[in-house]
Amino acid sequence: MEGIPEELGSRLAKAESVAVLTGAGISAESGVPTFREAQTGLWARWHPEDLATPQAFQRNPRLVWDWYRWRRQLVRDVEPNSGHLALVELERRVSDFHLSTQNVDGLHRRAGSRNLSELHGNLFRDVCAYEGIDVDLPAADDELPPRCPRCGGPVRPGVVWFGEPLPRAELLEAESAAAGCDVYLLVGTSGLVQPAAGLPLSARRAGAYVVEINPETTALTESVHCSIRGLAGDVLVSLLERLG
Ligand code: OAD
């Protein structure tokens, strides 16, 4: 891994406000398959459009639920890693901190991050497909799709599917954090999916110092002030050490 650039170290040390956007890369070290890797094993013959769209759910809600239950189990079996924990510690040290994530695995929340916007929802939420509100299902509910206890309509996973808008409140929080921060960290995301990929650009326009942490070049590499090539866990832990 490259060292922490001098300028980033000093800007972070002075920063009153830090915002972060994470993607699948931060959970890679926990062993969570990325969206594309999740199309393996039993699920290799399905395309994301067969499983993660409102149309797929209408067509075959049982199939979609089987896939999400499988993904829930994958995530239940893993733990937050040093990258998630470093962001919890960074939140403790910076007076104004906001974390936006595109991940639906809930690992930031499990690690202890508090000021958090889950832009693509959360794998473990159950939402009434008719009313769009969270519901509590009985633990032993095996019906697929589960039924809303209020209206009897089908229940869906509380994630954002292809073609759906992001949750408004979360997106507004993420935009406001990007527009008001001194340093913006972009961790483990390919930067291909809008509107999340626009957040670092807004941060830069508003005057933030924008840093990418990723072992690979991404669609956003050209637009950031500085790229650190390394694994999220290693780099974030080094950042904290640099802060002292
Ligand atoms: P991607 O799978 O597109 O990209 C993962 C990124 O993480 C890549 O740029 C990798 O180089 C990087 N990476 C891998 N291992 C890493 C590590 N240990 N440390 C740091 N970086 C690492 O995932 P996202 O950018 O999160 O949307 O994808 C964004 C959205 O596209 C997802 O939320 C999902 C998907 O389609 C929806 O489902 C709506």
Side-chain angles (χ1 to χ4, degrees), residues 48-122:
E49 303 74 40
D50 297 325
L51 300 166
T53 63
Q55 294 78 8
F57 186 69
Q58 268 189 343
R59 222 169 25 235
N60 194 341
R62 217 192 147 84
L63 172 77
V64 171
W65 263 112
D66 277 339
W67 187 57
Y68 277 96
R69 286 195 160 183
W70 176 71
R71 291 180 62 199
R72 282 182 177 181
Q73 197 51 50
L74 286 177
V75 171
R76 277 196 195 100
D77 290 344
V78 304
E79 297 296 329
N81 64 57
S82 56
H84 298 106
L85 296 173
L87 290 177
V88 176
E89 178 60 21
L90 194 59
E91 178 166 14
R92 236 178 37 78
R93 294 201 202 176
V94 177
S95 55
D96 181 14
F97 178 94
H98 184 267
L99 172 58
S100 306
T101 187
Q102 299 165 88
N103 299 342
V104 296
D105 56 33
L107 289 178
H108 285 302
R109 204 176 285 285
R110 257 166 75 187
S113 285
R114 300 172 83 89
N115 199 7
L116 170 68
S117 300
E118 292 179 316
L119 296 174
H120 292 169
N122 188 302

Side-chain angles (χ1 to χ4, degrees), residues 23-25 28-29 34-36 102 120 160 162 188-190 193 214-216 218 231-232:
E29 289 155 76
T34 63
F35 196 78
R36 275 149 280 276
Q102 299 165 88
H120 292 169
V160 175
F162 290 108
T189 176
S190 56
V193 176
N214 198 309
E216 311 281 341
T218 74
L231 303 181

